[in-house]
Amino acid sequence: MTGVDPGLLDDQQLMKELETIHRTRHDTLLHGSNDALRIHNERMAQLEGEYLRRNPRRPVAPGRTREGARDRQPGGA
């Protein structure tokens, strides 16, 4: 594992780690080596998995669901 085990981070540290990894995602995808991208993917999955474990009932915006996405399209469903 790269970095601190996400389960050992407090909520504030976890959010900071998530913000950082999401901020660096685009550059890693475009310019990172295959190894860097693989490690980035693994770490992001660990951090996001821990966030979801801690927040199983997080609020979901209606526009971020399949139904909401269909409603945004011209003509709707």
Side-chain angles (χ1 to χ4, degrees):
M1 176 187 297
T2 302
V4 175
D5 179 341
L8 300 176
L9 299 171
D10 65 31
D11 288 346
Q12 184 176 358
Q13 292 168 324
L14 179 61
M15 289 307 295
K16 184 175 179 181
E17 289 286 323
L18 281 165
E19 290 167 4
T20 298
I21 203 157
H22 286 124
R23 187 175 57 249
T24 61
R25 178 67 181 168
H26 192 72
D27 281 342
T28 304
L29 175 63
L30 295 179
H31 307 293
S33 67
N34 288 340
D35 283 342
L37 185 57
R38 180 185 52 77
I39 291 167
H40 201 274
N41 287 341
E42 291 171 2
R43 182 64 174 168
M44 189 162 53
Q46 293 166 353
L47 293 166
E48 289 177 347
E50 180 62 21
Y51 177 83
L52 292 172
R53 186 189 70 74
R54 293 182 192 187
N55 300 281
R57 292 185 175 88
R58 72 194 192 290
V60 176
R64 301 302 295 177
T65 64
R66 287 181 186 210
E67 183 178 335
R70 283 191 297 270
D71 289 344
R72 286 193 311 265
Q73 294 179 11

